[in-house]
Every structure is written in structure tokens, then in C-alpha cells.
Amino acid sequence: VIARHFAYETPRDLGAATAILAAGGAGVAVLGGGTWLVPNMSLGASAPDVVLDTRHLGLQSIEESPDELLIGARVTYEQIKASALVRRHAPLLALMANKITGGLQITGQGTLGGSACYANPSSDVPACLAVLGARLQLASSMGQRDVPAAEFFTAAFVTARRADELLTSIVIPKCASPRAGYYKLKFSTGSWPIVTAACLPLSDGEKPGLRIGIGGACVTPVVFSVDMAAQEAASVEASVAAAATQSIVDEWSDEFAGPGYRRAVAGAIAVRALRACQGAAR
Ligand SMILES: Cc1cc2nc3c(=O)[nH]c(=O)nc-3n(C[C@H](O)[C@H](O)[C@H](O)COP(=O)(O)OP(=O)(O)OC[C@H]3O[C@@H](n4cnc5c(N)ncnc54)[C@H](O)[C@@H]3O)c2cc1C
């Protein structure tokens, strides 16, 4: 039950949607799948004057250009899991979506865009978008702009999105390699991640290396690269573990893990993602 009046808007085009945002600003809550917003409105933790439903804005498709995937902000985890384009060109996203908890009610409704805009440090999505080099496309009545994922997540639950902007889509450069690894540490089978690690081979030219993204451990996602040239497997793992531990500067802390814990486990989780990446091919 939502015990508070609010206006419910279902604009049919982007112009109408951005006009609602321009007029209402922070009083407007954009509705994606509603898996976070609706329970929070029921609890009274979120009390918007206007709910802007994005369902008629055509933001639910996955398309490709020669170099990139264009994923609508309203694409659900189930769509990500079912997409051959995602499996071929961004296999990490499919691995991540397969590990979202909460069952079909969450994976069938929850969206990539909603998770990005929520920017919970413990979410799976932000670090995956960061390590993939994604760009977030924002629209307002002033125009459109692209923000790299590395700049989009600015603090816990805070993004670079202005209150008058709508996230319309997420652009992901196609991965050259079929390999990707994803691993997450959880308190229990169904709980949120404590630390996540995503591993991708570097794709710039001939240089053998890895790009690793760590989520859950800091207030914003962390991404770093490891050079694999002339390193034995054991020393690559040691380099990954050391770099992961060093990357945990602004550590996140919640009811699942207090100060110091995430920093202590980040290296081991990163190494597991590395091993998963080395053992995987689509
Ligand atoms: C039982 C349960 C299990 C969960 N398990 C996981 C898990 O394993 N991993 C994980 O990462 N998360 C998990 N979640 C968290 C979360 O619900 C999902 O990650 C989901 O993706 C959020 O997307 P949504 O579309 O439902 O967002 P919504 O609830 O619709 O919106 C979330 C926020 O984003 C804003 N927003 C939505 N779309 C836009 C847009 N296009 N433009 C601007 N702002 C927008 C909303 O206004 C709101 O502030 C879980 C939640 C539940 C209830």
C-alpha cells in the first residue's frame, strides 16, 4: 500500500517525458521496473509528487551498431539473459544477469537502467558497466549527453544524472574476446553482493593484459588493469590480488560486512573472477 497521493504519468515520447522532468525536477521519480522504487514508496522512504512511468518510451530494445551494443534503459535482466547479441558481444553482462538474486519477480521486472540510477554500492551492475567501458545516455529538455560509467557513479547512491534528466540507454563497446569472468561473494544464496569482481581480457592491440572491475567494496566501482606480459600464472594471480587490495580506498560498509572486511577479501574475489575468465569462452 502506498499511503500518499502522487501523480502517475505515462508519456508516449521523450519530449513529453523530459518536459515532465523539467517541470517537476527532484519531485519526479522515474519508474523503471519498480523493484526498488515501489517497495520504498510503500515504506514511505521515497515520496515523489510524480511518478514517471517509462514503459511507453521505447527504451526496451537491445540493438547493435558495428562497434557497440545499445541497450535501452528499461531492458530487464531476463532480456539480457535471453539476448544472443549480449552473449556474443558483452558476455560479462549475461554472466552478471544470471547471478541476480530475487527470482523471476526481480529479474523479469528489474532493469539495467534502474540499477544504474539507483547506484547502490552493493549492486552488481555499476562495476560491470565501468569495466566494460559503457556510456550512459541521458536526455533532458536541454538536449542529450553521454557520460562514461567511470564518471557516472559519483558516490554511494549518487550519480552524475541531474534531476531533470532521464537515462535513455546504455552503450557498450563490443568485446573483442569471447572470454569474461564474474564472481561475487554473498552472505547467503539470496542476499546482495558483498564484493563482486569482473574480469575481461584487454583488447587494445597485442598487449596481453586484463581489466578488472571490483564492485560492492567501495562507494563507487573500481577498475584497474594488470599487465600479463612475461608473467607466470601464479604471479599474474598475485598481481591481480595485490592490485585489487590496493584499489579499495573508499571502502563501503553495511550490515553484511563492516570496515576492513571488503578490503581483506577483494584480492581473493578478483582472483576467482580471473580464473573464471581464463576457463570461460562463449
Ligand atoms: C529481492 C530483491 C533482490 C535483489 N537482488 C539484487 C541483486 O542480486 N543484485 C543487484 O544488483 N540488485 C538486486 N536487487 C536490487 C534492484 O531492485 C535491481 O538491481 C533492479 O535492477 C533495479 O531496477 P528497477 O528497474 O526495478 O529500478 P526502479 O525501482 O524502477 O528504480 C530504481 C531507481 O532508479 C531510478 N530510475 C529507474 N529508471 C530510470 C531512468 N530510466 N532514468 C532515470 N532514473 C531511473 C528510479 O527513479 C529509482 O530512483 C534486488 C532487489 C530485490 C527487491
Side-chain angles (χ1 to χ4, degrees), residues 32-270:
T35 61
W36 176 84
L37 182 63
V38 173
N40 272 272
M41 287 177 68
S42 299
L43 290 169
S46 180
D49 301 319
V50 179
V51 170
L52 190 166
D53 191 336
T54 54
R55 75 179 58 207
H56 298 302
L57 297 177
L59 305 179
Q60 209 159 349
S61 63
I62 302 176
E63 289 161 21
E64 67 173 327
S65 68
D67 299 324
E68 297 173 324
L69 290 184
L70 188 69
I71 300 182
R74 212 171 190 287
V75 165
T76 65
Y77 296 117
E78 284 300 314
Q79 283 180 274
I80 297 284
K81 285 158 70 172
S83 167
L85 279 179
V86 170
R87 281 198 301 277
R88 177 172 305 157
H89 298 299
L92 172 63
L93 269 193
L95 292 173
M96 181 276 295
N98 272 305
K99 293 194 172 168
I100 296 288
T101 61
L104 194 54
Q105 277 187 313
I106 299 301
T107 56
Q109 286 289 329
T111 66
L112 212 58
S115 183
C117 292
Y118 179 24
N120 184 335
S122 298
S123 291
D124 288 270
V125 172
C128 284
L129 297 185
V131 78
L132 284 164
R135 301 192 315 276
L136 293 102
Q137 299 197 307
L138 300 165
S140 75
S141 56
M142 315 280 285
Q144 309 220 357
R145 63 178 180 132
D146 282 17
V147 180
E151 295 165 23
F152 185 74
F153 303 101
T154 54
F157 304 102
V158 183
T159 70
R161 183 183 81 87
R162 298 192 312 263
D164 68 333
E165 288 179 314
L166 179 76
L167 176 69
T168 54
S169 49
I170 299 171
V171 181
I172 302 198
K174 287 181 176 175
C175 298
S177 169
R179 293 191 181 280
Y182 192 63
Y183 192 90
K184 64 177 175 179
L185 174 69
K186 294 181 290 183
F187 176 72
S188 64
T189 309
S191 75
W192 284 57
I194 295 175
V195 174
T196 70
C199 179
L200 295 172
L202 279 180
S203 52
D204 54 340
E206 307 284 41
K207 192 173 143 199
L210 300 164
R211 197 159 65 240
I212 310 260
I214 305 285
C218 299
V219 294
T220 55
V222 169
V223 176
F224 59 88
S225 299
V226 172
D227 187 356
M228 288 174 72
Q231 286 203 64
E232 298 293 327
S235 64
V236 170
E237 290 195 356
S239 300
V240 166
T245 307
Q246 281 163 17
S247 74
I248 312 305
V249 176
D250 203 355
E251 188 179 352
W252 177 239
S253 180
D254 62 11
E255 66 273 28
F256 291 119
Y261 184 81
R262 287 174 160 90
R263 188 165 206 279
V265 298
I269 303 306

